[in-house]
Amino acid sequence: MSRTVLCAKLGRELPAMAYQPFRDALGERLYQSVSQEAWQMWIEHSKMLVNEYRLDLATSEAHEVLKKQCELFFFGEGAEAPPDYVAPEPSKD
């Protein structure tokens, strides 16, 4: 039987994340209260952040920026797009 959580982001009982993403208090909090579906939403949002802010993931500073945005995304007022970000238009296929 798979584990479920009351998802902090989506507000309903859903299948939980398969693993703890960080080895700290934030990682434990995410593991206990974020669904796999919401985590996948974060992954997509974080890709945009890395690209728009041109974050170098080899640096601890970039990881701190992402962790702060992650906490806002799930538990704060929500992560925001960078000021100059223009969302891509949906494809018309």
Side-chain angles (χ1 to χ4, degrees), residues 5-56:
V5 293
L6 176 58
C7 182
K9 181 72 173 174
L10 301 175
R12 58 187 195 272
E13 194 78 19
L14 292 164
M17 297 171 58
Y19 59 90
Q20 183 174 325
F22 313 116
R23 293 182 183 172
D24 60 11
L26 176 58
E28 179 64 25
R29 188 174 179 199
L30 291 166
Y31 184 71
Q32 295 299 328
S33 59
V34 171
S35 68
Q36 185 63 42
E37 180 180 347
W39 183 250
Q40 193 58 44
M41 291 168 58
W42 163 250
I43 295 297
E44 293 305 312
H45 185 76
S46 69
K47 289 177 191 177
M48 182 271 300
L49 293 173
V50 168
N51 290 327
E52 291 298 315
Y53 285 127
R54 291 173 171 60
L55 297 175
D56 178 359

